[in-house]
Amino acid sequence: MNNKVIDFTYALEKQKTFSKLLEDKKGIKQPSDIYNVPYSFILGLNSELYEIVNAAKMHKSYSKEKIDRDHVIEECADLLSWIGNTANFLEVKLITEVQEMQITAPEVIVVSLNDKINRLTWKKRVARYTLTDKILPLFVELIYSLGFDLNDLEEAYHKKMDKNILELEQGIWKN
């Protein structure tokens, strides 16, 4: 099998910019724990993961509702935002190498991702490895298993972050 380098570093700078805007907003607290990934990050990652589950209606095998693909990829972009925040906290680049993959059922990937996210509670050294070598490849596989590609994700990410920054600057976000 061939390996492919996946580079999400575009999310790092945008998340740093957005985090700086949040720091300047009174009443919004930023994590300062220096040894472990804060639980707020773990909860944020899991929350966004399950927003994807809800948007893709993975838990509703009996449902005949049409899936809103734009909503699903937007939720994937939100998870990428949290991955970017976590990578910035851990001071790692969001570059990973993955094998060309056979796509697994999204439900299987979600359960595995959830497990890996929950393991981020270890010291930063272990969390760095978990994020780049476990979570990131699974996230890429999830994107493909949902029928998207990485260009779809990058487009949705930039659109979502531009909207978030505009709303924050306009004072739509409240403390």
Side-chain angles (χ1 to χ4, degrees):
M1 281 191 177
N2 294 328
N3 287 347
K4 180 177 182 181
V5 174
I6 308 293
D7 186 342
F8 289 112
T9 54
Y10 62 85
L12 295 177
E13 285 307 313
K14 191 150 255 185
Q15 288 309 127
K16 281 181 188 175
T17 300
F18 191 65
S19 291
K20 178 68 175 129
L21 288 171
L22 288 175
E23 284 175 16
D24 295 342
K25 185 115 172 125
K26 290 182 181 178
I28 297 179
K29 296 179 182 173
Q30 298 294 312
S32 59
D33 188 329
I34 60 169
Y35 298 110
N36 303 82
V37 175
Y39 280 110
S40 61
F41 279 38
I42 293 166
L43 292 172
L45 289 161
N46 275 323
S47 174
E48 294 305 335
L49 178 61
Y50 282 95
E51 289 288 333
I52 295 168
V53 169
N54 287 330
K57 301 181 186 352
M58 285 182 217
H59 59 299
K60 296 183 178 182
S61 57
Y62 56 86
S63 177
K64 301 223 187 257
E65 293 178 63
K66 185 175 182 203
I67 294 172
D68 180 351
R69 289 181 48 78
D70 290 337
H71 185 212
V72 174
I73 195 66
E74 180 181 317
E75 296 301 342
C76 292
D78 287 345
L79 180 53
L80 179 58
S81 295
W82 274 100
I83 291 171
N85 289 336
T86 306
N88 282 333
F89 176 80
L90 292 170
E91 300 171 323
V92 294
K93 292 186 177 176
L94 283 181
I95 300 174
T96 191
E97 193 170 320
V98 298
Q99 289 185 350
E100 287 184 9
M101 59 194 82
Q102 180 178 354
I103 302 303
T104 308
E107 300 85 353
V108 173
I109 299 167
V110 165
V111 170
S112 186
L113 260 172
N114 183 70
D115 176 61
K116 301 303 183 244
I117 289 168
N118 290 333
R119 292 173 188 260
L120 285 173
T121 58
W122 293 85
K123 295 199 181 298
K124 279 186 173 181
R125 181 179 50 81
V126 176
R128 287 180 180 116
Y129 169 78
T130 301
L131 183 67
T132 58
D133 290 5
K134 301 292 183 188
I135 292 172
L136 217 46
L138 283 168
F139 178 63
V140 169
E141 189 172 0
L142 179 62
I143 298 303
Y144 282 112
S145 74
L146 291 169
F148 300 105
D149 63 30
L150 297 179
N151 291 328
D152 297 327
L153 176 65
E154 185 171 359
E155 182 181 318
Y157 173 79
H158 287 298
K159 182 178 175 183
K160 179 71 174 176
M161 289 308 299
D162 290 345
K163 178 182 174 223
N164 286 350
I165 290 169
L166 181 64
E167 287 177 353
L168 186 63
E169 289 172 345
Q170 292 175 343
I172 293 171
W173 286 30
K174 302 291 181 201
N175 292 334

mmCIF file of all heavy atoms in Angstrom, residues 80-120:
data_model
loop_
_atom_site.group_PDB
_atom_site.id
_atom_site.type_symbol
_atom_site.label_atom_id
_atom_site.label_comp_id
_atom_site.label_asym_id
_atom_site.label_seq_id
_atom_site.Cartn_x
_atom_site.Cartn_y
_atom_site.Cartn_z
ATOM 1 N N LEU A 80 -12.570 19.510 13.204
ATOM 2 C CA LEU A 80 -11.216 19.915 12.817
ATOM 3 C C LEU A 80 -10.767 21.136 13.616
ATOM 4 O O LEU A 80 -9.601 21.230 13.996
ATOM 5 C CB LEU A 80 -11.138 20.196 11.309
ATOM 6 C CG LEU A 80 -9.780 20.662 10.794
ATOM 7 C CD1 LEU A 80 -8.677 19.642 11.110
ATOM 8 C CD2 LEU A 80 -9.852 20.937 9.294
ATOM 9 N N SER A 81 -11.688 22.052 13.906
ATOM 10 C CA SER A 81 -11.346 23.218 14.732
ATOM 11 C C SER A 81 -10.840 22.778 16.106
ATOM 12 O O SER A 81 -9.830 23.279 16.599
ATOM 13 C CB SER A 81 -12.565 24.127 14.910
ATOM 14 O OG SER A 81 -12.956 24.689 13.696
ATOM 15 N N TRP A 82 -11.556 21.833 16.713
ATOM 16 C CA TRP A 82 -11.135 21.341 18.031
ATOM 17 C C TRP A 82 -9.824 20.561 17.938
ATOM 18 O O TRP A 82 -8.980 20.642 18.839
ATOM 19 C CB TRP A 82 -12.229 20.480 18.664
ATOM 20 C CG TRP A 82 -13.202 21.325 19.408
ATOM 21 C CD1 TRP A 82 -14.428 21.749 18.987
ATOM 22 C CD2 TRP A 82 -13.009 21.878 20.703
ATOM 23 N NE1 TRP A 82 -15.014 22.537 19.954
ATOM 24 C CE2 TRP A 82 -14.165 22.629 21.021
ATOM 25 C CE3 TRP A 82 -11.988 21.819 21.639
ATOM 26 C CZ2 TRP A 82 -14.310 23.313 22.221
ATOM 27 C CZ3 TRP A 82 -12.145 22.486 22.842
ATOM 28 C CH2 TRP A 82 -13.289 23.229 23.119
ATOM 29 N N ILE A 83 -9.637 19.831 16.857
ATOM 30 C CA ILE A 83 -8.361 19.130 16.654
ATOM 31 C C ILE A 83 -7.242 20.164 16.535
ATOM 32 O O ILE A 83 -6.163 20.000 17.121
ATOM 33 C CB ILE A 83 -8.424 18.200 15.423
ATOM 34 C CG1 ILE A 83 -9.362 17.018 15.703
ATOM 35 C CG2 ILE A 83 -7.033 17.722 15.030
ATOM 36 C CD1 ILE A 83 -9.654 16.156 14.473
ATOM 37 N N GLY A 84 -7.512 21.246 15.805
ATOM 38 C CA GLY A 84 -6.530 22.319 15.677
ATOM 39 C C GLY A 84 -6.205 22.975 17.005
ATOM 40 O O GLY A 84 -5.040 23.235 17.326
ATOM 41 N N ASN A 85 -7.227 23.252 17.807
ATOM 42 C CA ASN A 85 -6.998 23.829 19.134
ATOM 43 C C ASN A 85 -6.156 22.900 19.996
ATOM 44 O O ASN A 85 -5.253 23.340 20.719
ATOM 45 C CB ASN A 85 -8.335 24.103 19.840
ATOM 46 C CG ASN A 85 -9.088 25.258 19.226
ATOM 47 O OD1 ASN A 85 -8.517 26.124 18.593
ATOM 48 N ND2 ASN A 85 -10.396 25.247 19.399
ATOM 49 N N THR A 86 -6.454 21.619 19.922
ATOM 50 C CA THR A 86 -5.712 20.631 20.712
ATOM 51 C C THR A 86 -4.267 20.548 20.235
ATOM 52 O O THR A 86 -3.334 20.499 21.046
ATOM 53 C CB THR A 86 -6.402 19.254 20.640
ATOM 54 O OG1 THR A 86 -7.774 19.402 21.028
ATOM 55 C CG2 THR A 86 -5.726 18.250 21.554
ATOM 56 N N ALA A 87 -4.068 20.558 18.917
ATOM 57 C CA ALA A 87 -2.706 20.521 18.372
ATOM 58 C C ALA A 87 -1.922 21.763 18.787
ATOM 59 O O ALA A 87 -0.735 21.665 19.123
ATOM 60 C CB ALA A 87 -2.753 20.401 16.855
ATOM 61 N N ASN A 88 -2.567 22.926 18.763
ATOM 62 C CA ASN A 88 -1.887 24.144 19.215
ATOM 63 C C ASN A 88 -1.513 24.040 20.687
ATOM 64 O O ASN A 88 -0.415 24.421 21.083
ATOM 65 C CB ASN A 88 -2.764 25.377 18.967
ATOM 66 C CG ASN A 88 -2.736 25.816 17.519
ATOM 67 O OD1 ASN A 88 -1.779 25.581 16.795
ATOM 68 N ND2 ASN A 88 -3.811 26.457 17.081
ATOM 69 N N PHE A 89 -2.419 23.520 21.508
ATOM 70 C CA PHE A 89 -2.128 23.345 22.928
ATOM 71 C C PHE A 89 -0.943 22.403 23.122
ATOM 72 O O PHE A 89 -0.070 22.647 23.956
ATOM 73 C CB PHE A 89 -3.362 22.810 23.659
ATOM 74 C CG PHE A 89 -3.111 22.526 25.104
ATOM 75 C CD1 PHE A 89 -3.121 23.560 26.032
ATOM 76 C CD2 PHE A 89 -2.851 21.245 25.543
ATOM 77 C CE1 PHE A 89 -2.872 23.312 27.372
ATOM 78 C CE2 PHE A 89 -2.597 20.987 26.879
ATOM 79 C CZ PHE A 89 -2.609 22.027 27.800
ATOM 80 N N LEU A 90 -0.917 21.333 22.333
ATOM 81 C CA LEU A 90 0.147 20.328 22.461
ATOM 82 C C LEU A 90 1.420 20.716 21.700
ATOM 83 O O LEU A 90 2.426 20.014 21.789
ATOM 84 C CB LEU A 90 -0.345 18.966 21.951
ATOM 85 C CG LEU A 90 -1.431 18.311 22.791
ATOM 86 C CD1 LEU A 90 -2.005 17.098 22.066
ATOM 87 C CD2 LEU A 90 -0.878 17.913 24.154
ATOM 88 N N GLU A 91 1.340 21.798 20.940
ATOM 89 C CA GLU A 91 2.467 22.283 20.151
ATOM 90 C C GLU A 91 2.958 21.230 19.164
ATOM 91 O O GLU A 91 4.144 20.905 19.106
ATOM 92 C CB GLU A 91 3.591 22.750 21.077
ATOM 93 C CG GLU A 91 3.168 23.879 21.996
ATOM 94 C CD GLU A 91 4.179 24.221 23.068
ATOM 95 O OE1 GLU A 91 4.842 23.279 23.598
ATOM 96 O OE2 GLU A 91 4.297 25.407 23.380
ATOM 97 N N VAL A 92 2.011 20.687 18.396
ATOM 98 C CA VAL A 92 2.353 19.740 17.335
ATOM 99 C C VAL A 92 1.760 20.234 16.024
ATOM 100 O O VAL A 92 0.783 20.980 16.012
ATOM 101 C CB VAL A 92 1.839 18.306 17.615
ATOM 102 C CG1 VAL A 92 2.522 17.710 18.807
ATOM 103 C CG2 VAL A 92 0.344 18.256 17.764
ATOM 104 N N LYS A 93 2.373 19.796 14.942
ATOM 105 C CA LYS A 93 1.854 20.119 13.612
ATOM 106 C C LYS A 93 0.796 19.089 13.251
ATOM 107 O O LYS A 93 0.868 17.932 13.650
ATOM 108 C CB LYS A 93 2.974 20.104 12.593
ATOM 109 C CG LYS A 93 3.949 21.220 12.814
ATOM 110 C CD LYS A 93 4.969 21.296 11.729
ATOM 111 C CE LYS A 93 5.850 22.504 12.033
ATOM 112 N NZ LYS A 93 6.924 22.648 11.130
ATOM 113 N N LEU A 94 -0.165 19.527 12.499
ATOM 114 C CA LEU A 94 -1.229 18.611 12.066
ATOM 115 C C LEU A 94 -0.872 17.982 10.728
ATOM 116 O O LEU A 94 -1.562 18.173 9.734
ATOM 117 C CB LEU A 94 -2.568 19.351 11.978
ATOM 118 C CG LEU A 94 -3.253 19.615 13.286
ATOM 119 C CD1 LEU A 94 -4.576 20.335 13.082
ATOM 120 C CD2 LEU A 94 -3.484 18.329 14.054
ATOM 121 N N ILE A 95 0.215 17.254 10.750
ATOM 122 C CA ILE A 95 0.657 16.522 9.566
ATOM 123 C C ILE A 95 0.782 15.074 9.971
ATOM 124 O O ILE A 95 1.370 14.747 10.998
ATOM 125 C CB ILE A 95 2.008 17.040 9.041
ATOM 126 C CG1 ILE A 95 1.895 18.522 8.665
ATOM 127 C CG2 ILE A 95 2.475 16.207 7.851
ATOM 128 C CD1 ILE A 95 3.204 19.171 8.277
ATOM 129 N N THR A 96 0.203 14.205 9.176
ATOM 130 C CA THR A 96 0.293 12.784 9.467
ATOM 131 C C THR A 96 0.452 12.031 8.161
ATOM 132 O O THR A 96 0.176 12.553 7.084
ATOM 133 C CB THR A 96 -0.945 12.288 10.246
ATOM 134 O OG1 THR A 96 -0.693 10.970 10.729
ATOM 135 C CG2 THR A 96 -2.194 12.309 9.398
ATOM 136 N N GLU A 97 0.907 10.839 8.252
ATOM 137 C CA GLU A 97 1.032 9.986 7.079
ATOM 138 C C GLU A 97 0.087 8.814 7.279
ATOM 139 O O GLU A 97 0.099 8.167 8.320
ATOM 140 C CB GLU A 97 2.475 9.490 6.939
ATOM 141 C CG GLU A 97 2.769 8.862 5.606
ATOM 142 C CD GLU A 97 4.250 8.608 5.409
ATOM 143 O OE1 GLU A 97 5.072 9.465 5.799
ATOM 144 O OE2 GLU A 97 4.573 7.538 4.858
ATOM 145 N N VAL A 98 -0.749 8.601 6.299
ATOM 146 C CA VAL A 98 -1.702 7.501 6.379
ATOM 147 C C VAL A 98 -1.569 6.619 5.156
ATOM 148 O O VAL A 98 -1.211 7.077 4.085
ATOM 149 C CB VAL A 98 -3.170 8.001 6.513
ATOM 150 C CG1 VAL A 98 -3.363 8.793 7.797
ATOM 151 C CG2 VAL A 98 -3.577 8.836 5.325
ATOM 152 N N GLN A 99 -1.859 5.358 5.355
ATOM 153 C CA GLN A 99 -1.875 4.445 4.229
ATOM 154 C C GLN A 99 -3.123 4.709 3.421
ATOM 155 O O GLN A 99 -4.157 5.124 3.962
ATOM 156 C CB GLN A 99 -1.897 2.996 4.708
ATOM 157 C CG GLN A 99 -0.615 2.541 5.321
ATOM 158 C CD GLN A 99 -0.659 1.053 5.662
ATOM 159 O OE1 GLN A 99 -1.689 0.419 5.600
ATOM 160 N NE2 GLN A 99 0.484 0.520 6.014
ATOM 161 N N GLU A 100 -3.019 4.487 2.111
ATOM 162 C CA GLU A 100 -4.238 4.538 1.321
ATOM 163 C C GLU A 100 -5.150 3.514 1.950
ATOM 164 O O GLU A 100 -4.749 2.384 2.220
ATOM 165 C CB GLU A 100 -3.952 4.214 -0.138
ATOM 166 C CG GLU A 100 -3.239 5.343 -0.838
ATOM 167 C CD GLU A 100 -3.038 5.071 -2.307
ATOM 168 O OE1 GLU A 100 -3.586 4.081 -2.839
ATOM 169 O OE2 GLU A 100 -2.323 5.854 -2.931
ATOM 170 N N MET A 101 -6.343 3.927 2.214
ATOM 171 C CA MET A 101 -7.155 3.111 3.098
ATOM 172 C C MET A 101 -8.374 2.516 2.430
ATOM 173 O O MET A 101 -8.890 3.044 1.466
ATOM 174 C CB MET A 101 -7.581 3.928 4.293
ATOM 175 C CG MET A 101 -8.373 5.154 3.925
ATOM 176 S SD MET A 101 -8.508 6.302 5.280
ATOM 177 C CE MET A 101 -6.968 7.155 5.156
ATOM 178 N N GLN A 102 -8.759 1.442 3.003
ATOM 179 C CA GLN A 102 -10.045 0.865 2.668
ATOM 180 C C GLN A 102 -11.024 1.499 3.647
ATOM 181 O O GLN A 102 -10.773 1.534 4.846
ATOM 182 C CB GLN A 102 -10.003 -0.648 2.842
ATOM 183 C CG GLN A 102 -11.307 -1.318 2.512
ATOM 184 C CD GLN A 102 -11.180 -2.826 2.654
ATOM 185 O OE1 GLN A 102 -10.102 -3.355 2.886
ATOM 186 N NE2 GLN A 102 -12.282 -3.507 2.508
ATOM 187 N N ILE A 103 -12.103 2.010 3.127
ATOM 188 C CA ILE A 103 -13.037 2.748 3.967
ATOM 189 C C ILE A 103 -13.822 1.793 4.870
ATOM 190 O O ILE A 103 -14.374 0.797 4.431
ATOM 191 C CB ILE A 103 -14.007 3.578 3.099
ATOM 192 C CG1 ILE A 103 -13.230 4.541 2.199
ATOM 193 C CG2 ILE A 103 -14.992 4.335 3.962
ATOM 194 C CD1 ILE A 103 -12.310 5.489 2.911
ATOM 195 N N THR A 104 -13.849 2.136 6.130
ATOM 196 C CA THR A 104 -14.583 1.388 7.150
ATOM 197 C C THR A 104 -15.929 2.072 7.372
ATOM 198 O O THR A 104 -16.080 3.254 7.081
ATOM 199 C CB THR A 104 -13.770 1.409 8.458
ATOM 200 O OG1 THR A 104 -12.437 0.970 8.179
ATOM 201 C CG2 THR A 104 -14.380 0.537 9.521
ATOM 202 N N ALA A 105 -16.878 1.359 7.918
ATOM 203 C CA ALA A 105 -18.173 1.958 8.248
ATOM 204 C C ALA A 105 -17.947 3.124 9.204
ATOM 205 O O ALA A 105 -17.175 3.008 10.158
ATOM 206 C CB ALA A 105 -19.090 0.918 8.876
ATOM 207 N N PRO A 106 -18.620 4.266 8.981
ATOM 208 C CA PRO A 106 -18.405 5.430 9.848
ATOM 209 C C PRO A 106 -18.661 5.141 11.320
ATOM 210 O O PRO A 106 -17.965 5.673 12.188
ATOM 211 C CB PRO A 106 -19.390 6.481 9.325
ATOM 212 C CG PRO A 106 -19.969 5.957 8.077
ATOM 213 C CD PRO A 106 -19.584 4.529 7.931
ATOM 214 N N GLU A 107 -19.630 4.288 11.626
ATOM 215 C CA GLU A 107 -19.940 3.971 13.020
ATOM 216 C C GLU A 107 -18.744 3.341 13.728
ATOM 217 O O GLU A 107 -18.482 3.634 14.893
ATOM 218 C CB GLU A 107 -21.138 3.014 13.110
ATOM 219 C CG GLU A 107 -22.416 3.552 12.515
ATOM 220 C CD GLU A 107 -22.560 3.344 11.004
ATOM 221 O OE1 GLU A 107 -21.603 2.883 10.354
ATOM 222 O OE2 GLU A 107 -23.629 3.655 10.483
ATOM 223 N N VAL A 108 -18.024 2.497 13.023
ATOM 224 C CA VAL A 108 -16.851 1.833 13.593
ATOM 225 C C VAL A 108 -15.749 2.868 13.862
ATOM 226 O O VAL A 108 -15.100 2.848 14.910
ATOM 227 C CB VAL A 108 -16.343 0.725 12.647
ATOM 228 C CG1 VAL A 108 -15.036 0.123 13.131
ATOM 229 C CG2 VAL A 108 -17.410 -0.350 12.471
ATOM 230 N N ILE A 109 -15.581 3.790 12.935
ATOM 231 C CA ILE A 109 -14.560 4.834 13.095
ATOM 232 C C ILE A 109 -14.915 5.744 14.269
ATOM 233 O O ILE A 109 -14.045 6.106 15.066
ATOM 234 C CB ILE A 109 -14.417 5.652 11.796
ATOM 235 C CG1 ILE A 109 -13.986 4.741 10.646
ATOM 236 C CG2 ILE A 109 -13.407 6.777 11.979
ATOM 237 C CD1 ILE A 109 -14.112 5.363 9.280
ATOM 238 N N VAL A 110 -16.182 6.110 14.392
ATOM 239 C CA VAL A 110 -16.613 6.987 15.484
ATOM 240 C C VAL A 110 -16.305 6.352 16.839
ATOM 241 O O VAL A 110 -15.779 7.015 17.735
ATOM 242 C CB VAL A 110 -18.118 7.332 15.367
ATOM 243 C CG1 VAL A 110 -18.657 7.924 16.653
ATOM 244 C CG2 VAL A 110 -18.352 8.278 14.203
ATOM 245 N N VAL A 111 -16.604 5.090 16.998
ATOM 246 C CA VAL A 111 -16.341 4.413 18.276
ATOM 247 C C VAL A 111 -14.839 4.408 18.567
ATOM 248 O O VAL A 111 -14.403 4.682 19.688
ATOM 249 C CB VAL A 111 -16.925 2.981 18.270
ATOM 250 C CG1 VAL A 111 -16.459 2.192 19.485
ATOM 251 C CG2 VAL A 111 -18.449 3.035 18.220
ATOM 252 N N SER A 112 -14.030 4.149 17.549
ATOM 253 C CA SER A 112 -12.583 4.150 17.729
ATOM 254 C C SER A 112 -12.063 5.554 18.023
ATOM 255 O O SER A 112 -11.207 5.743 18.897
ATOM 256 C CB SER A 112 -11.904 3.572 16.486
ATOM 257 O OG SER A 112 -10.531 3.438 16.702
ATOM 258 N N LEU A 113 -12.585 6.552 17.315
ATOM 259 C CA LEU A 113 -12.187 7.935 17.570
ATOM 260 C C LEU A 113 -12.530 8.354 18.998
ATOM 261 O O LEU A 113 -11.726 8.997 19.679
ATOM 262 C CB LEU A 113 -12.898 8.877 16.589
ATOM 263 C CG LEU A 113 -12.116 9.364 15.388
ATOM 264 C CD1 LEU A 113 -13.013 10.128 14.433
ATOM 265 C CD2 LEU A 113 -10.911 10.175 15.782
ATOM 266 N N ASN A 114 -13.720 8.000 19.425
ATOM 267 C CA ASN A 114 -14.145 8.326 20.785
ATOM 268 C C ASN A 114 -13.159 7.744 21.799
ATOM 269 O O ASN A 114 -12.747 8.412 22.753
ATOM 270 C CB ASN A 114 -15.558 7.792 21.021
ATOM 271 C CG ASN A 114 -16.085 8.154 22.375
ATOM 272 O OD1 ASN A 114 -16.369 9.304 22.651
ATOM 273 N ND2 ASN A 114 -16.208 7.157 23.235
ATOM 274 N N ASP A 115 -12.763 6.510 21.590
ATOM 275 C CA ASP A 115 -11.810 5.856 22.484
ATOM 276 C C ASP A 115 -10.472 6.603 22.494
ATOM 277 O O ASP A 115 -9.903 6.857 23.554
ATOM 278 C CB ASP A 115 -11.613 4.403 22.046
ATOM 279 C CG ASP A 115 -10.558 3.699 22.873
ATOM 280 O OD1 ASP A 115 -10.751 3.586 24.101
ATOM 281 O OD2 ASP A 115 -9.530 3.259 22.292
ATOM 282 N N LYS A 116 -9.979 6.963 21.321
ATOM 283 C CA LYS A 116 -8.677 7.654 21.236
ATOM 284 C C LYS A 116 -8.761 9.051 21.853
ATOM 285 O O LYS A 116 -7.823 9.495 22.520
ATOM 286 C CB LYS A 116 -8.208 7.759 19.787
ATOM 287 C CG LYS A 116 -8.047 6.436 19.061
ATOM 288 C CD LYS A 116 -7.095 5.496 19.748
ATOM 289 C CE LYS A 116 -6.911 4.226 18.956
ATOM 290 N NZ LYS A 116 -7.377 3.028 19.614
ATOM 291 N N ILE A 117 -9.873 9.754 21.629
ATOM 292 C CA ILE A 117 -10.044 11.084 22.222
ATOM 293 C C ILE A 117 -10.008 10.986 23.740
ATOM 294 O O ILE A 117 -9.355 11.791 24.407
ATOM 295 C CB ILE A 117 -11.356 11.735 21.737
ATOM 296 C CG1 ILE A 117 -11.222 12.140 20.259
ATOM 297 C CG2 ILE A 117 -11.732 12.929 22.595
ATOM 298 C CD1 ILE A 117 -12.529 12.527 19.592
ATOM 299 N N ASN A 118 -10.675 9.997 24.288
ATOM 300 C CA ASN A 118 -10.700 9.836 25.743
ATOM 301 C C ASN A 118 -9.337 9.489 26.321
ATOM 302 O O ASN A 118 -9.096 9.683 27.514
ATOM 303 C CB ASN A 118 -11.740 8.802 26.150
ATOM 304 C CG ASN A 118 -13.146 9.297 25.928
ATOM 305 O OD1 ASN A 118 -13.401 10.503 25.947
ATOM 306 N ND2 ASN A 118 -14.066 8.384 25.689
ATOM 307 N N ARG A 119 -8.436 9.013 25.505
ATOM 308 C CA ARG A 119 -7.083 8.677 25.964
ATOM 309 C C ARG A 119 -6.136 9.879 25.954
ATOM 310 O O ARG A 119 -4.971 9.760 26.305
ATOM 311 C CB ARG A 119 -6.500 7.554 25.121
ATOM 312 C CG ARG A 119 -7.228 6.239 25.342
ATOM 313 C CD ARG A 119 -6.742 5.182 24.367
ATOM 314 N NE ARG A 119 -7.573 4.007 24.458
ATOM 315 C CZ ARG A 119 -7.240 2.917 25.139
ATOM 316 N NH1 ARG A 119 -6.099 2.848 25.771
ATOM 317 N NH2 ARG A 119 -8.055 1.888 25.170
ATOM 318 N N LEU A 120 -6.635 11.045 25.556
ATOM 319 C CA LEU A 120 -5.805 12.248 25.548
ATOM 320 C C LEU A 120 -5.515 12.772 26.947
ATOM 321 O O LEU A 120 -4.777 13.738 27.102
ATOM 322 C CB LEU A 120 -6.483 13.364 24.731
ATOM 323 C CG LEU A 120 -6.443 13.206 23.225
ATOM 324 C CD1 LEU A 120 -7.283 14.283 22.565
ATOM 325 C CD2 LEU A 120 -5.015 13.245 22.700
#
